[in-house]
């Protein structure tokens, strides 16, 4: 490799990482379009270290690719229902093999903040930073979220409990499929029930749709509604995702409106 090639290579690797290609399987590149690949000799051509490794779907009999989603969803519901505490729920999730995202994620991203906080915020899914560290909203979006909370006198250490609709990162930060959402939904619903916040804030479209049944986040944000946790009815609202606000800074004024309403609701000075 020449030095001139290095910046291109760095860009290529960054692009691969962005697309979710984070593991090197072999040291030698293969052009699979030109190499003849007789079906029965493919296994023999794999590097020795990979020969015994089954595909993620095969390794996890319940994984989405391998079984009907209903089965995984039913199993998720049963496991979530059995969990009596947030710790038990996290443990149940770490044992759950029904979502194929687990196979590509580095970490389970369960929660951050204070489970006793009056506000629970639920985002979409972990990104690369969250996946690496194992905590939600620690990347650029998370930093903006922290600044937004600080603007209304809240912080995640004391006042806010944070989780995601999906606890595993979709490869390349792609939007979760409806099937992945359906499979993981019982866990986040149970997490909300066990955390038992006074107010639920759904961050971004997928969270608003998955938990509140809202579609079109720009039209539905800021509208207060009831959310049935399973044991009680709490107030809930959807707001814009900080990742969107980083791309569309002018829309921060809408998020600011939602934050002011959240503050007023917490202070009991408004009945949203
Ligand atoms: N975006 C999310 O929705 N959740 C995270 O944890 C990080 C980014």
């Amino acid at each position: 490799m020449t030095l001139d090639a290095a910046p291109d290579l760095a860009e290529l690797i960054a692009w691969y990482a962005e697309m979710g290609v984070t593991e090197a399987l072999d040291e030698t590149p293969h052009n699979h379009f030109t190499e003849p690949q007789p079906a029965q000799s493919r296994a023999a051509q794999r590097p020795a270290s990979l020969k015994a490794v089954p595909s993620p779907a095969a390794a996890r009999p319940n994984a989405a690719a391998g079984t009907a989603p209903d089965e995984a969803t039913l199993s998720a519901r049963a496991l979530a229902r059995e969990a009596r505490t947030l710790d038990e729920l996290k443990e149940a999730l770490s044992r759950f093999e029904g979502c194929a995202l687990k196979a590509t994620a580095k970490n389970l991203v369960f929660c951050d903040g204070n489970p006793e906080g009056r506000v629970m915020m639920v985002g979409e899914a972990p990104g690369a930073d969250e996946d690496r560290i194992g905590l939600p909203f620690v990347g650029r979006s998370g930093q903006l979220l922290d600044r937004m909370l600080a603007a209304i006198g809240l912080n995640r250490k004391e006042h806010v409990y944070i989780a995601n609709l999906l606890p595993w990162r979709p490869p390349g930060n792609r939007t979760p499929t409806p099937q992945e959402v359906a499979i993981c939904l019982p866990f986040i619903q149970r997490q909300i029930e066990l955390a038992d916040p006074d107010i639920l804030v759904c961050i971004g479209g997928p969270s608003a749709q998955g938990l509140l049944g809202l579609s079109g986040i720009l039209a539905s944000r800021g509208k207060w509604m009831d959310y049935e946790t399973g044991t009680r009815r709490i107030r809930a609202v959807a707001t814009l995702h900080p990742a969107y606000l980083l791309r569309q800074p002018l829309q921060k004024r809408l998020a600011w409106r939602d934050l002011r309403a959240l503050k007023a609701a917490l202070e009991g000075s408004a009945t949203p």
Side-chain angles (χ1 to χ4, degrees):
M1 183 209 329
T2 65
L3 275 182
D4 287 351
D8 287 350
L9 194 56
E11 263 173 40
L12 181 64
I13 291 170
W15 184 77
Y16 278 150
E18 188 62 25
M19 293 297 112
V21 181
T22 51
E23 304 293 333
L25 295 184
D26 196 351
E27 300 207 341
T28 322
H30 298 273
N31 185 341
H32 293 283
F33 292 104
T34 56
E35 291 172 5
Q37 297 279 331
Q40 110 226 68
S41 67
R42 281 184 83 136
Q45 289 173 7
R46 278 191 211 126
S49 62
L50 293 181
K51 275 181 194 153
V53 181
S55 73
R60 303 204 156 103
N62 240 354
T67 52
D70 285 0
E71 204 180 307
T73 308
L74 290 177
S75 147
R77 273 190 212 149
L79 277 172
R81 208 180 310 118
E82 276 164 26
R84 284 158 307 160
T85 64
L86 289 167
D87 283 346
E88 282 184 14
L89 187 67
K90 183 176 180 185
E91 171 60 27
L93 257 174
S94 66
R95 280 185 284 113
F96 182 62
E97 301 293 350
C99 180
L101 291 178
K102 184 179 185 180
T104 47
K106 288 192 176 69
N107 275 303
L108 168 71
V109 177
F110 185 67
C111 71
D112 195 19
N114 183 1
E116 306 289 322
R118 288 185 64 203
V119 180
M120 178 163 178
M121 297 190 138
V122 180
E124 178 179 332
D129 293 325
E130 290 76 17
D131 184 38
R132 190 168 37 81
I133 293 170
L135 292 171
F137 282 103
V138 290
R140 280 185 72 217
S141 297
Q143 287 155 21
L144 176 56
L145 182 65
D146 284 343
R147 290 199 298 278
M148 288 159 61
L149 289 172
I152 53 164
L154 301 181
N155 65 72
R156 65 168 91 186
K157 220 170 162 213
E158 288 171 275
H159 311 108
V160 184
Y161 181 58
I162 305 182
N164 279 311
L165 193 62
L166 286 98
W168 294 288
R169 180 193 185 208
N173 298 347
R174 65 161 168 75
T175 302
T177 64
Q179 185 185 353
E180 288 158 355
V181 173
I183 291 170
C184 294
L185 199 57
F187 289 106
I188 185 63
Q189 287 171 330
R190 183 72 174 144
Q191 197 170 354
I192 297 167
E193 183 177 1
L194 291 169
D196 195 26
D198 289 339
I199 294 176
L200 172 67
V201 180
C202 292
I203 303 179
S207 173
Q209 170 137 47
L211 291 169
L212 305 177
L214 299 172
S215 48
I217 186 68
L218 277 171
S220 59
R221 54 141 283 280
K223 294 191 166 71
W224 287 81
M225 53 196 298
D226 284 338
Y227 176 86
E228 198 60 64
T229 66
T231 43
R232 71 178 180 127
R233 190 173 291 171
I234 60 173
R235 300 301 282 157
V237 70
T239 191
L240 301 174
H241 197 290
Y244 170 74
L245 298 175
L246 286 168
R247 294 193 303 272
Q248 303 284 339
L250 285 180
Q251 300 289 51
K252 283 184 186 165
R253 70 204 154 86
L254 297 176
W256 179 236
R257 248 183 244 168
D258 300 340
L259 285 169
R260 284 212 321 260
L262 171 62
K263 186 176 164 66
L266 284 169
E267 288 170 351
S269 57
T271 46

